[in-house]
Amino acid sequence: MSRENKLTNEQRKENRKRSQENYRHRIRRFTFQFSLKDREPLEWFEAQPDKGKYLKNLILEDKQRHIQSEEETNEMLLAEDAIQTTTYMANAPDCCSGAEKLDNMLGMLGADIMDEDVYHDEDEHPTMAM
């Protein structure tokens, strides 16, 4: 005899109820409303054969655009950092030590504000005093 046959109708009903409840807790639902002024978007939305799939695709496309935009921004910042540090190394004051030059370059990374103190004449070289 199979296990199914051993279950009473009451047990089957309870198992089905538990399974449905478990499913309800795993899915997300939301309400989306159009105002009376939203005639054009409402008409377009109503024309979609699978509205749920349409909304999911819009969300995923928006996510992809956001990720791509972040990547492009990061690439631009990296290019800007490369240009700024290269320009600095080509024009760095001779009086600065290698460690000072490195410190100045690291301070430039990610910064959009130019620190005029890194470009100076030898007689203006910053000194540490105690």
Side-chain angles (χ1 to χ4, degrees):
M1 236 175 136
S2 71
R3 183 172 177 242
E4 282 293 317
N5 294 338
K6 293 181 182 178
L7 295 177
T8 66
N9 284 340
E10 202 55 42
Q11 289 171 322
R12 281 190 205 106
K13 192 176 182 180
E14 184 61 33
N15 284 349
R16 192 175 319 116
K17 182 179 177 182
R18 236 181 290 127
S19 177
Q20 289 173 345
E21 194 63 31
N22 184 29
Y23 177 76
R24 279 190 208 111
H25 287 298
R26 290 184 293 142
I27 64 170
R28 299 292 180 255
R29 294 181 182 182
F30 70 97
T31 302
F32 185 74
Q33 295 177 308
F34 288 97
S35 74
L36 297 175
K37 297 176 183 177
D38 294 331
R39 175 174 278 139
E40 185 179 357
L42 174 61
E43 288 173 359
W44 180 254
F45 182 70
E46 289 294 334
Q48 303 309 309
D50 187 343
K51 291 162 186 54
K53 185 176 179 180
Y54 177 71
L55 289 174
K56 290 173 193 174
N57 285 338
L58 284 177
I59 291 167
L60 293 175
E61 288 169 9
D62 183 54
K63 177 184 175 187
Q64 187 60 39
R65 275 192 307 273
H66 181 72
I67 290 170
Q68 186 175 353
S69 175
E70 280 184 349
E71 289 173 354
E72 289 171 359
T73 299
N74 288 341
E75 286 176 17
M76 287 186 338
L77 290 173
L78 287 172
E80 181 181 275
D81 284 345
I83 291 168
Q84 287 175 341
T85 54
T86 303
T87 302
Y88 171 73
M89 283 308 293
N91 299 299
D94 292 333
C95 59
C96 293
S97 68
E100 289 171 320
K101 290 177 184 177
L102 178 62
D103 188 45
N104 289 337
M105 284 177 45
L106 292 176
M108 291 177 180
L109 299 178
D112 289 325
I113 300 170
M114 173 90 166
D115 182 3
E116 296 293 333
D117 292 339
V118 299
Y119 295 102
H120 54 269
D121 293 328
E122 199 167 325
D123 58 328
E124 299 171 325
H125 187 81
T127 56
M128 293 179 61
M130 292 227 195

